[in-house]
Amino acid sequence: MPAIALLSAVFVVGFEQLVQWKYGPMGIIGLLLLTIGIKANSPTCSSIGALMLALMVAGPAL
């Protein structure tokens, strides 16, 4: 069981570092809002975070 927790923690930290490297501070804020919204069961907060991430990913195509 601890191996699964360790692997998931490494994955989460790696994903956060990837977002920080690729999208900067706004990407981290979007990811944070999305995570808080999901954990707090707040559709408004998670929608804002998802929208921020979607706009940052689709930004070059727009």
Side-chain angles (χ1 to χ4, degrees):
M1 210 53 181
I4 294 172
L6 180 64
L7 285 174
S8 67
V10 167
F11 176 74
V12 167
V13 169
F15 185 71
E16 286 180 352
Q17 290 298 317
L18 176 70
V19 169
Q20 174 70 26
W21 171 71
K22 182 118 173 129
Y23 301 111
M26 289 304 291
I28 290 295
I29 292 171
L31 186 63
L32 182 68
L33 282 171
L34 180 64
T35 305
I36 290 172
I38 290 172
K39 289 187 185 236
N41 205 12
S42 170
T44 304
C45 189
S46 60
S47 296
I48 291 172
L51 181 65
M52 285 178 66
L53 288 174
L55 286 174
M56 294 188 75
V57 170
L62 295 177

